[in-house]
Amino acid sequence: ASNFLCDSLLSVSINLENQDKRSYGEINGTVIYDGDNNLIGEAKNLKTGNIITQKIIDNKFKFDQLSPGDYRICIYENINSIGKSYFSGTLEPVKLAAKFSIYNKSIYVRENWSNTILVELK
């Protein structure tokens, strides 16, 4: 009878749009490169073999939709006139292969974590 506290009702709203979204990690970084060609970056999931390819702008890259796991990062010059794949050169006429660099170790991606690396392309 002397209870002066009211009964309360807790209301929780749930956004169902985000319920099915997975959590991703990211790998971002800088490429040291003094050439004149555009660059392409690849992030390969070492377990599944899936490869994500993107153009590198101003020597910076960001792979931000990566499922958790180990990845290998490869950077190469975009000199293939047919597509985005690596150009290994030709014998006739003689055309040199694209310069490339593979980051020296695998990178473990965790959910909601960011990894920053530096890759040198000579």
Side-chain angles (χ1 to χ4, degrees):
S2 64
N3 186 357
F4 53 89
L5 294 176
C6 310
D7 286 335
S8 63
L9 177 64
L10 179 62
S11 174
V12 177
S13 73
I14 299 173
N15 185 352
L16 295 177
E17 290 179 25
N18 293 330
Q19 193 171 15
D20 291 334
K21 287 190 179 180
R22 296 181 58 191
S23 293
Y24 297 103
E26 80 175 41
I27 300 173
N28 61 61
T30 304
V31 180
I32 298 173
Y33 174 69
D34 60 358
D36 297 328
N37 296 307
N38 293 325
L39 300 176
I40 298 287
E42 287 185 353
K44 180 178 182 178
N45 185 309
L46 298 178
K47 183 177 180 182
T48 66
N50 292 341
I51 297 174
I52 298 171
T53 304
Q54 67 175 226
K55 291 182 181 180
I56 295 176
I57 300 171
D58 295 328
N59 292 359
K60 306 255 185 233
F61 61 90
K62 182 178 181 180
F63 296 100
D64 59 356
Q65 294 289 309
L66 300 177
S67 298
D70 288 307
Y71 285 83
R72 183 189 74 198
I73 300 296
C74 178
I75 309 293
Y76 55 87
E77 294 175 314
N78 185 17
I79 60 173
N80 189 344
S81 59
I82 298 172
K84 287 189 203 177
S85 61
Y86 175 75
F87 180 71
S88 58
T90 60
L91 290 174
E92 285 194 31
V94 174
K95 291 185 181 179
L96 297 177
K99 292 180 184 178
F100 71 95
S101 181
I102 299 173
Y103 189 66
N104 61 353
K105 51 187 161 180
S106 66
I107 302 165
Y108 183 69
V109 173
R110 295 171 60 177
E111 291 181 357
N112 301 315
W113 281 58
S114 177
N115 298 284
T116 303
I117 62 172
L118 179 67
V119 180
E120 188 171 2
L121 183 63
K122 294 181 181 183

